[in-house]
Amino acid sequence: MPLAMNREVFITCAVTGSGSSQDRSPHVPRSPRQIADSAIDAAKAGAAIVHCHVRDPETGKPRRDVHLYREVTERIRAADVDVVLNLTAGMGGDMVFGSPENPLPLNEKATDMGGASNRVEHVRQCLPEICTLDCGTMNFAEADYVMTNTPGMLRAMGGMMTALGVKPEIEAFDTGHLWFAKQLVEEKVLDPDALVQLCMGVPWGAPDDLNTFMAMVNNVPSNWNWSAFSIGRNQMAYAAAAVLAGGNVRVGLEDSLWLDKGVLATNAQLVERAVSIVSNMGARVIGPDEVRKKLNLTKRAPL
């Protein structure tokens, strides 16, 4: 497929994530106030969308408490800058096995498995414009951890999101995830104008070499909107690659802690760097109002 560079680009900032990065940088936000403030700073720097997880305010460990999401939502929506809110719905599918010789019983302390309604409850109450839908099960970095998203669970969660009027952002970590996402559209679980995030370089999903990246890009239907990112040192290289291949950009502390070698970043600094890359490529960075029109989004108050 010939490359068709995107000339009108939106930037998503993935503010904090759910990885164990909270003790590796003082800039990783933990409390709802810190997460919201970091998201607001990212919006002021040029991010049209902020993608938010929540954490335990004391330990920084990932949580999925509705009251934490609600506080983040209310703080961002009360800010003096507009931004599209994207909440994760990827939590609650964490299955951690025992040892290789004794996989069962599961590691109960580390396992967090919720039902479809439970995993979407914060979306129902907070009504963000976008929420994520991780479209597959995969081995995810750690030795005995599986990110679990069965076809039945995804059909149920996707249907709930669509019924709520919240646009699912399909998180695709491999080509099979795109295959299933297209099936969800065919089944009318998801609307035809789907939104995709291509997640590159996450062990053990799609590696972030350009051949694999273009295989992912070529599997996205032409009437879908998409963004892409890579984790770690290739974060900014993928800002350029995504634009060149016709997509949009994601950066943020969820994906990399570093601005330069030895220099820890803030979310706003990562967004500023991405804005510079996009602008220097001759593309225009678009804002939240244009993104809402492009993606057919509805901004609403929490329940």
Side-chain angles (χ1 to χ4, degrees), residues 254-265:
E254 177 172 354
D255 305 326
S256 177
L257 300 178
W258 303 95
L259 185 66
D260 293 303
K261 186 174 181 179
V263 180
L264 290 167

Side-chain angles (χ1 to χ4, degrees), residues 93-104:
D94 301 330
M95 183 179 292
V96 182
F97 289 88
S99 69
E101 291 296 335
N102 296 287
L104 297 177

Side-chain angles (χ1 to χ4, degrees), residues 173-190:
F173 294 82
D174 218 333
T175 52
H177 299 181
L178 291 169
W179 186 9
F180 186 65
K182 286 184 272 192
Q183 179 65 26
L184 292 179
V185 170
E186 185 175 327
E187 295 174 5
K188 296 182 170 52
V189 174
L190 304 183

Side-chain angles (χ1 to χ4, degrees), residues 152-220:
M153 179 69 74
L154 291 171
R155 285 186 174 97
M157 291 175 64
M160 292 174 189
M161 295 167 183
T162 300
L164 287 168
V166 177
K167 192 174 195 70
E169 180 188 65
I170 297 159
E171 302 284 291
F173 294 82
D174 218 333
T175 52
H177 299 181
L178 291 169
W179 186 9
F180 186 65
K182 286 184 272 192
Q183 179 65 26
L184 292 179
V185 170
E186 185 175 327
E187 295 174 5
K188 296 182 170 52
V189 174
L190 304 183
D191 291 332
D193 61 334
L195 172 64
V196 178
Q197 187 71 250
L198 302 180
C199 310
M200 309 300 297
V202 178
W204 300 106
D208 65 359
D209 64 89
L210 289 177
N211 284 335
T212 303
F213 176 54
M214 289 310 301
M216 297 278 279
V217 170
N218 289 334
N219 271 283
V220 177

